[in-house]
Amino acid sequence: MTVQNQLEPISIYIHIPFCVSKCAYCDFISHRVGDFEINGGVQTYFNALEMEIALYKELLHNRVVRSIYIGGGTPSSVDGKYIHNLINQLKAYASFSNDIEITLEVNPGTLTEDKLNHYVSAGVNRISMGLQTTNDQLLHKIGRIHSTNDFITSYEAVKRAGIGNISLDLMFGLPGQTLLDIENAISLVARLAPSHVSAYSLKIEEGTPLNESYINGQVQLPDEELERDMYHKLISGLKEIDIHQYELSNFSKYGYESKHNLVYWENKPYLGLGVSSHSKINNERFANTNLIYEYSDMLKAGKYPIIQKESIDKSEDLFESIILGLRLNKGIALHELNAKYEIDFHQKYKNAIEVLIQQGLIEYDDHTIRLTIKGMDLSNQVFLRFMED
Ligand SMILES: C[S@@+](CC[C@H](N)C(=O)[O-])C[C@H]1O[C@@H](n2cnc3c(N)ncnc32)[C@H](O)[C@@H]1O
Ligand code: SF4
C-alpha cells in the first residue's frame, strides 16, 4: 500500500470483552468467556469486529497507524486466531508505521504456546500482563485466577516466545495490603526486569462485588496515608531499579514509555473499536455501546455501533490537553500549547498558576508546567483549578 501520509497518524484501541472470570474490583466491560464460547458468542463478536473495521476502511485508507492496543477484558482468553485475523485485517486497510507498537493485554493462566505463536506472527511486539500483587492470599481474595508463580511462568513463556517488551500491572490500596506487600512486589519486578510497569490505586467501582463487601464492612481498605505511602514506595523503589515514573500511574525503563498511552496523554487522535470503546478523531468524540448483543446487532444491520457522539470545541480541547498533559512527569511544553490553541498560557491562567505555585502543587517556568510530588497526590485539585478559569 502506498503511504501518502497527508493525514495525521492514528492509534487504534480494540476491546475484547471476555475474561475467564470476573475479578471482584473490576468494572471493565467483560463477560465470562465460557458462557459465550458454548453458543458461538465469541465468534459472533469477532465477526462484528470485522464488520466494524470494514466500516472504517475509508478513514484508515492513507492513514499511518502508529500503535494498536488490544485490551479488555482479557484478549488472551480467546483463541489466538481471532487476534491474528484482527491484526491482519487492519494491515490490509491501513499502513503500519515501521516502528509500530502492537500491545496485547494478557492474563496469567490463559497463555498457551499456540496463542503466543499467533501473537508473534501477527506482529504483537508488546505484552501487558496483570499481576496486581505478589501476595497469593490477596490475589485469591480479589478474585484473580492465578498465583504469583503462575504469573512468573506466563512471563517467562512470553519472553521465550521472543516478546521482550513486557509491561506489568500492579495495584495498591487493596484490602489488607501492607507496605511489605509493596516491597515484595518491587522485589519481583527487580528480578523479572520488565521494561514497563503500571501501578494503579484501587478504585472502588459501583456495582462490583468488592464495593458490596466494602459497604457491608466485610473488607477494610488501607487509610489514605498508607495508600499514599504505598504510592511513594512504588515511585522510589522502582526508580532504584531503573524503572522511572513518566506518568501518574506509569513507569518504564528509558525509551520504553508506552507509545499508545502517550497518544491519550498528548491528546492525539485514536480510534476505538469493539464494545464500550471510545474514539477521538477530527474534533469529535464518540463512544460505542456497552452492550455486547446490541454491538453485534447494530453491525449486522450495517450501522456504526456508536451511541454517543459530540464535537469538541477548542476551549474544551485545551482543557483536556492541560489535564492530560499534567499527568506526565515531563509536563506540558508551553510553546506547543500556545501555538496549537493560539493562546498566551501565562496570561490566560495567571490566577490558577499563582494559587497552584503558592500551594506547592505545580512547578512552572517560561517553557514548562508540571506537577510537583505534592501535586501528584492532589492532582484532581489541580485539574479542578484549571477548570475554573
Ligand atoms: C483492563 S485490565 C486488563 C488486564 C488483564 N485482564 C488482567 O487483569 O490481567 C487493566 C488493569 O486495570 C487495573 N484495574 C482494573 N480495575 C481496577 C480498579 N477498580 N482499580 C484500579 N485498577 C484497576 C488492573 O491493574 C488491570 O490489570
Ligand atoms: S481485571 Fe482483567 S481479568 Fe479481572 S475482570 Fe478485569 S479485565 Fe478481567
Side-chain angles (χ1 to χ4, degrees):
M1 181 179 289
T2 47
V3 183
Q4 291 174 20
N5 204 6
Q6 317 110 321
L7 297 165
E8 202 178 349
I10 198 168
S11 287
I12 299 175
Y13 172 80
I14 310 177
H15 192 77
I16 311 299
F18 303 112
C19 290
V20 173
S21 65
K22 282 295 284 187
C23 303
Y25 52 84
C26 180
D27 81 336
F28 284 88
I29 300 295
S30 76
H31 306 272
R32 286 167 66 99
V33 68
D35 299 343
F36 277 72
E37 263 164 355
I38 48 171
N39 60 7
V42 172
Q43 181 69 58
T44 305
Y45 182 72
F46 279 90
N47 290 346
L49 257 179
E50 216 173 283
M51 291 182 229
E52 190 183 16
I53 297 174
L55 289 179
Y56 287 107
K57 199 171 175 175
E58 291 251 313
L59 182 132
L60 293 172
H61 185 63
N62 281 346
R63 284 267 191 183
V64 171
V65 180
R66 72 169 116 209
S67 64
I68 298 173
Y69 194 103
I70 305 175
T74 305
S76 58
S77 65
V78 299
D79 198 311
K81 72 176 183 212
Y82 292 118
I83 306 297
H84 201 154
N85 292 344
L86 266 186
I87 298 174
N88 278 349
Q89 193 192 357
L90 285 171
K91 250 183 227 162
Y93 290 161
S95 304
F96 286 9
S97 70
N98 291 335
D99 60 349
I100 189 168
E101 176 189 271
I102 306 182
T103 304
L104 187 87
E105 274 183 348
V106 310
N107 198 324
T110 59
L111 281 179
T112 61
E113 211 177 303
D114 180 62
K115 285 180 188 174
L116 282 164
N117 286 340
H118 272 295
Y119 305 156
V120 171
S121 16
V124 171
N125 53 19
R126 186 172 181 271
I127 290 284
S128 171
M129 287 179 89
L131 168 61
Q132 321 310 351
T133 169
T134 47
N135 177 332
D136 282 346
Q137 267 181 333
L138 188 49
L139 280 173
H140 183 69
K141 193 160 147 191
I142 60 176
R144 299 291 295 177
I145 58 164
H146 58 89
S147 65
T148 305
N149 269 338
D150 295 334
F151 178 89
I152 297 169
T153 306
S154 298
Y155 186 93
E156 280 164 359
V158 171
K159 282 198 113 167
R160 265 200 315 278
I163 305 178
N165 191 358
I166 307 177
S167 179
L168 173 165
D169 286 345
L170 294 176
M171 289 174 78
F172 60 98
L174 291 168
Q177 198 176 22
T178 62
L179 276 176
L180 183 63
D181 288 327
I182 300 295
E183 280 165 21
N184 290 339
I186 296 170
S187 299
L188 182 65
V189 174
R191 194 175 123 203
L192 299 177
S195 45
H196 191 279
V197 173
S198 299
Y200 301 111
S201 174
L202 171 70
K203 202 164 157 233
I204 295 278
E205 302 283 3
E206 247 177 72
T208 58
L210 187 63
N211 185 45
E212 192 105 320
S213 318
Y214 178 61
I215 290 171
N216 296 338
Q218 288 158 324
V219 294
Q220 260 85 49
L221 297 179
D223 62 24
E224 205 181 317
E225 196 185 334
L226 178 54
E227 188 266 355
R228 284 296 91 186
D229 285 349
M230 290 179 181
Y231 183 52
H232 295 145
K233 177 144 284 265
L234 280 162
I235 296 174
S236 58
L238 291 173
K239 189 174 175 184
E240 271 172 33
I241 55 171
D242 229 13
I243 299 184
H244 304 270
Q245 186 184 32
Y246 69 98
E247 193 266 350
L248 287 177
S249 309
N250 287 277
F251 306 79
S252 79
K253 289 186 182 158
Y254 288 129
Y256 286 92
E257 297 82 5
S258 159
K259 283 186 197 167
H260 187 84
N261 288 338
L262 280 170
V263 164
Y264 299 141
W265 301 316
E266 290 174 353
N267 204 7
K268 291 182 174 153
Y270 54 89
L271 172 67
L273 301 165
V275 68
S276 78
S277 67
H278 292 243
S279 307
K280 184 181 183 246
I281 304 168
N282 303 335
N283 297 322
E284 272 193 332
R285 194 185 354 249
F286 43 100
N288 278 356
T289 172
N290 283 341
L291 306 172
I292 190 162
Y293 292 113
E294 185 176 52
Y295 173 78
S296 300
D297 289 345
M298 286 173 89
L299 283 156
K300 272 188 220 150
K303 292 188 205 146
Y304 285 90
I306 295 171
I307 48 149
Q308 216 182 350
K309 197 170 198 162
E310 56 178 355
S311 48
I312 311 164
D313 67 28
K314 222 168 175 176
S315 67
E316 200 183 330
D317 201 47
L318 166 63
F319 175 64
E320 278 184 13
S321 286
I322 294 173
I323 60 165
L324 292 167
L326 280 175
R327 296 185 63 90
L328 294 166
N329 288 51
K330 68 175 179 183
I332 302 169
L334 294 176
H335 65 279
E336 283 174 20
L337 198 78
N338 285 342
K340 183 169 176 191
Y341 296 99
E342 295 162 319
I343 55 159
D344 178 343
F345 185 85
H346 187 79
Q347 274 307 316
K348 189 169 169 57
Y349 294 107
K350 222 175 162 128
N351 298 336
I353 294 165
E354 215 174 276
V355 173
L356 293 170
I357 291 178
Q358 219 168 47
Q359 294 173 333
L361 298 178
I362 57 164
E363 269 173 33
Y364 177 77
D365 61 31
D366 284 349
H367 308 288
T368 316
I369 176 169
R370 64 169 76 88
L371 295 178
T372 57
I373 305 248
K374 184 175 170 198
M376 286 184 191
D377 285 338
L378 301 171
S379 55
N380 284 337
Q381 201 171 306
V382 179
F383 302 153
L384 282 175
R385 188 63 195 78
F386 277 105
M387 209 155 112
E388 286 164 19
D389 277 13

